[in-house]
Amino acid sequence: MLSFNKITRVVAGFAATALLIPMAACGTSGGNSSTADIPTAGTDDGTEITLWTRSPLERQAKNAVSAYNKSHKNQVKLEIIPNDDMEGKVGGASQTDSLPDILAGAVVRIPYWASEGIFTDITKQIDGLDNKADLQQGHIEAGTVDGKEYTLPFITDVSVMVWNKDLYKKAGLDPEKGPSTIAEFVEQAKKVAALNEDGIAGSYLAGQSGGALVFDLFPSVWADGESVMNEDGTEATLDNDSMKAVLNAYKELADTTNGLGAGSKEETGATWTAPFANGKIGVMPYPNTSSTALFEAEKDGGFEVGVTPIPGTKEGKTSTFLGGDAMGISKDCKHAAQAWNFLAWLMSSDAQKEVFANNGDTASNIQTLKTAYNDADPRVRTINSVIIDGHGKTPKSVSFNEAFNAAGSPWQLLVQNAVWGNGDLKADNQAVSEVLGQ
């Protein structure tokens, strides 16, 4: 079994209630650091570079910094910020011009930060990368404002479907076949629920975590070719047949004895993945950054885990939420050329292999995903495939946090109403739109 502390550290990012902190003295044109004369590869001259990142992705961040520091004269000083403190710390530092040289943050928050001038414009440098087309584009697009590019991928996290093979065997299901449609997801979850074993449930949902809910539910909508917002992120488009089918699936499980694990309705996201990791859940969407720990536990005698892409309502159609953290050079950076040296290095195929592939984590370089995992666990290759196939998405809106992720957000209430109440999807969709349009 996994330790509770390990589980909560990995998934805390989805439970965060980020506040809309005014970024004083910032404009939409980006920061003041000079980037005009930065060499293509940046400068490696022994300078200390500061980097802030969030605690949920601490392990991957430390791997990146350690590899860079061992091979460069420059040295990155990494500060891990508790996830719940990140927004306030960035807001305060922005107002006092004391942001770090490099700032990494949740990709869904990046559009707001970029629009407020938190980052320095590095369009020339990003466009000058030989392998820009090979990079995971969602993290670049999230930090693009009025055609200016401010961010690159730091750590990629994607959502996949996992199932407990041991429970599937007990329930008479094929342990090698996870759900290929939402209907099969419900069917398989109900079979596990019917075991009627103490503490065992078909699936699990973080009902009070808007961040976990978008990570879990949006991919099925995208798999069907539907959208969750309009193109500029100012209106919700959740009142569609695919979202109705997904919400109805979870409502059916909520109305089934043992269909959803105890506490699903109240789950804030802090212990969102713990029930599955503890062997109590049959099947559920899951973050890939937590799946590595499942595979390690399996080697130590834990239950067997299956992994498949998240399906839509039609067989053969899948998608994923391209999440994680993007990074950029802050407006207060005093060492832009050296900071770029770190960013450019991490985008290289060699660095992506060393930092991510060799540690069983998901790279942000598509060519690395295709070539550097030949000896990896087949389930890791399955996880990588959801990025390679190009069907995943990163939603972009300046007001995404307030509309979806924040505690009590209209999206969270929409799901609560639909799964555990008698929701009006059209009215609840309009409530999300009202916040997105502010």
Side-chain angles (χ1 to χ4, degrees), residues 9-94:
R9 184 170 65 250
V10 171
V11 304
F14 298 98
T17 306
L19 300 176
L20 186 64
I21 304 294
M23 306 296 184
C26 296
T28 58
S29 60
N32 299 316
S33 298
S34 174
T35 60
D37 300 323
I38 293 178
T40 301
T43 300
D44 183 22
D45 60 1
T47 298
E48 181 178 86
I49 312 162
T50 54
L51 166 62
W52 290 358
T53 192
R54 302 181 301 141
S55 56
L57 301 175
E58 177 177 357
R59 179 178 64 83
Q60 293 90 340
K62 285 183 173 179
N63 287 342
V65 168
S66 176
Y68 180 84
N69 286 349
K70 287 178 182 177
S71 57
H72 290 74
K73 296 176 184 177
N74 293 338
Q75 295 293 288
V76 174
K77 181 180 179 182
L78 176 66
E79 183 172 351
I80 305 295
I81 312 297
N83 195 74
D84 290 350
D85 298 341
M86 191 70 172
E87 190 77 13
K89 188 173 180 69
V90 170
S94 174

Side-chain angles (χ1 to χ4, degrees), residues 160-297:
V160 291
M161 190 74 78
V162 296
W163 71 93
N164 183 320
K165 292 186 179 183
D166 294 6
L167 290 178
Y168 268 43
K169 290 176 186 176
K170 282 187 178 183
L173 293 164
D174 182 349
E176 301 305 321
K177 187 179 185 303
S180 60
T181 64
I182 287 297
E184 281 191 359
F185 162 71
V186 174
E187 177 186 347
Q188 293 174 9
K190 290 175 77 172
K191 284 284 186 68
V192 174
L195 291 171
N196 202 28
E197 292 187 12
D198 185 37
I200 301 298
S203 191
Y204 195 79
L205 195 64
Q208 297 285 346
S209 173
L213 290 169
V214 299
F215 204 66
D216 283 357
L217 307 186
F218 281 9
S220 293
V221 176
W222 292 329
D224 283 354
E226 298 280 5
S227 64
V228 297
M229 294 185 294
N230 64 355
E231 190 170 340
D232 61 3
T234 58
E235 292 182 8
T237 58
L238 301 164
D239 186 12
N240 60 64
D241 290 341
S242 294
M243 180 56 74
K244 290 175 186 176
V246 173
L247 294 172
N248 286 340
Y250 280 95
K251 182 171 181 59
E252 183 174 347
L253 292 178
D255 292 340
T256 300
T257 302
N258 304 322
L260 291 179
S264 287
K265 185 177 180 180
E266 297 79 25
E267 174 63 63
T268 64
T271 58
W272 163 45
T273 61
F276 185 87
N278 291 331
K280 301 296 185 181
I281 302 299
V283 57
M284 66 178 286
Y286 213 77
N288 85 282
T289 47
S290 297
S291 64
T292 302
L294 294 176
F295 305 154
E296 291 173 354

Side-chain angles (χ1 to χ4, degrees), residues 303-335:
F303 63 88
E304 289 188 78
V305 180
V307 177
T308 195
I310 295 177
T313 62
K314 302 172 183 129
E315 190 165 357
K317 302 294 185 181
T318 64
S319 187
T320 190
F321 192 110
L322 296 174
D325 280 17
M327 62 177 173
I329 298 174
S330 86
K331 71 179 181 67
D332 301 329
C333 178
K334 304 297 190 296
H335 312 289

